[in-house]
Amino acid sequence: MSPRAAILGIAGPTLGAEEAALFRRRPPAGVILFARNVESPAQLRALTDALRAVLPAGAPILVDQEGGRVARLRPPHWRAHPPAAVIGALHAARPAAARRAAWLTGALIGLDCAAGGIDVVCAPVLDLRRPETHAAIGDRAYAADPDVVASLGQAMAEGLLAAGVQPVGKHAPGHGRATVDSHHALPVIEAADLDADILPFARNAHLPWMLTAHIRYLALDSERPATLSPVIVERVIRGRIGFAGVLASDDLAMQALAGTPAARALGALAAGCDIALYCPGDAAGNVAVLAACPPLSDAAGARLARGRALAAARRATLDGMALAAEREALLA
């Protein structure tokens, strides 16, 4: 059966019998993992193996693993990684060292995730860190300068690819102007000049994946947030940014959006997203989203295949201990 155009969360550290039956009956395009799903390296590998046994061949398993506070794989079983702002601060004094530190962080995160059976990492953050930026982004963003963000984001993405893992740029077309948390309310951006916000995404348009922002940009679409806006998806993300990879919504359970999970998913797909992302792992929501979502489009399937091929082609042999020691020296 063709996978549905949805990526879903699951409830806990093991794949439940009802979840497995649902995924066999109506498979999603992939699964995303969170801290509730991660306990130890052996447990994580058993979970991803169980997921691959019921998901379609090649279905991605994703995780949010940026470094800093957004990290689902944590010590003592996995390495700690610095937030983006730490690497951005290094850039002010030593740009080349910062770019190398960003690459090393991507590579080290990628090694951790690949060992656990995860093949897509939701990073780098390509948003700008402005004085007004809400703490929901905060130190997850590298800097205020769009050229710095573009450069460090690209370096981190290259490190992830070197580990054989696909990076995901987020949150297009830019979350840095938001002064409220889109997990709880809909940010509305009044600024008309968004060139700086868009630049890091345009410079990283070659990435295999991007996530949309649950933000209403009055200058781009006065009625709909980016995730639900055909205007922003087609004219800005696909057009002005030039992104041709897999476009997924940000988590559709966030309260920036209204309506049922199924309605939100259909709205994101109608706007031009390839995949609706629904993360809580609740059974009722997963059933409803899978029932509502159509099969993955041929175009989306081709984009997924290109992402897998890119990561396979760019994978290198890496020495994690040596890379970690090098990063520690750079950040000391």
Side-chain angles (χ1 to χ4, degrees):
M1 180 180 293
S2 298
R4 301 283 159 165
I7 288 175
L8 304 177
I10 60 172
T14 60
L15 181 64
E18 291 185 2
E19 290 172 326
L22 173 64
F23 291 174
R24 287 191 182 97
R25 184 171 69 252
R26 189 167 279 161
V31 166
I32 184 167
L33 302 180
F34 287 87
R36 65 180 182 267
N37 309 122
V38 177
E39 295 178 342
S40 71
Q43 168 273 326
L44 176 59
R45 190 72 211 204
L47 174 59
T48 57
D49 287 348
L51 285 166
R52 296 203 184 281
V54 299
L55 292 173
I61 298 177
L62 293 72
V63 72
D64 269 330
Q65 189 76 0
E66 300 170 8
R69 58 197 161 92
V70 178
R72 315 311 182 194
L73 284 62
R74 290 179 172 270
H77 298 298
W78 293 277
R79 300 176 181 93
H81 303 284
V86 168
I87 299 174
L90 177 62
H91 189 278
R94 301 168 61 202
R99 184 169 174 83
R100 180 63 177 171
W103 185 94
L104 290 165
T105 297
L108 289 166
I109 287 174
L111 286 173
D112 288 344
C113 292
I118 294 164
D119 53 359
V120 178
V121 170
C122 297
V125 172
L126 298 174
D127 306 318
L128 304 185
R129 193 176 77 254
R130 300 174 174 275
E132 71 271 22
T133 302
H134 192 276
I137 297 297
D139 66 358
R140 298 167 61 194
Y142 287 108
D145 184 328
D147 290 307
V148 173
V149 174
S151 177
L152 295 179
Q154 181 178 14
M156 184 188 190
E158 293 293 331
L160 286 163
L161 286 167
V165 170
Q166 299 174 61
V168 180
K170 56 189 187 184
H171 309 81
H175 209 297
R177 293 181 188 267
T179 58
V180 300
D181 185 351
S182 56
H183 291 87
H184 304 296
L186 176 64
V188 177
I189 306 302
E190 298 182 357
D193 182 2
L194 298 170
D195 288 352
D197 305 76
I198 289 171
L199 185 147
F201 295 91
R203 295 266 183 90
N204 285 277
H206 58 281
L207 294 186
W209 290 67
M210 283 188 185
L211 293 187
T212 60
H214 298 334
I215 294 180
R216 186 151 55 100
Y217 306 85
L218 297 183
L220 303 178
D221 186 332
S222 63
E223 298 181 357
R224 293 160 293 197
T227 299
L228 305 178
S229 171
V231 173
I232 293 176
V233 170
E234 292 304 321
R235 295 185 185 175
V236 181
I237 297 176
R238 295 296 192 194
R240 186 171 170 187
I241 290 171
F243 179 63
V246 180
L247 185 64
S249 72
D250 203 352
D251 179 12
L252 294 170
M254 294 163 65
Q255 295 310 303
L257 305 181
T260 65
R264 298 178 189 193
L266 288 174
L269 296 174
C273 291
D274 292 311
I275 291 172
L277 180 63
Y278 181 73
C279 298
D282 64 297
N286 282 353
V287 169
V289 169
L290 286 177
C293 285
L296 194 70
S297 71
D298 290 343
R303 291 175 181 134
L304 286 167
R306 287 198 298 270
R308 290 193 300 271
L310 175 65
R314 298 289 291 279
R315 185 172 185 174
T317 300
L318 303 176
D319 182 338
M321 292 185 65
L323 298 181
E326 182 184 355
R327 185 181 66 180
E328 183 178 359
L330 286 173
L331 296 178

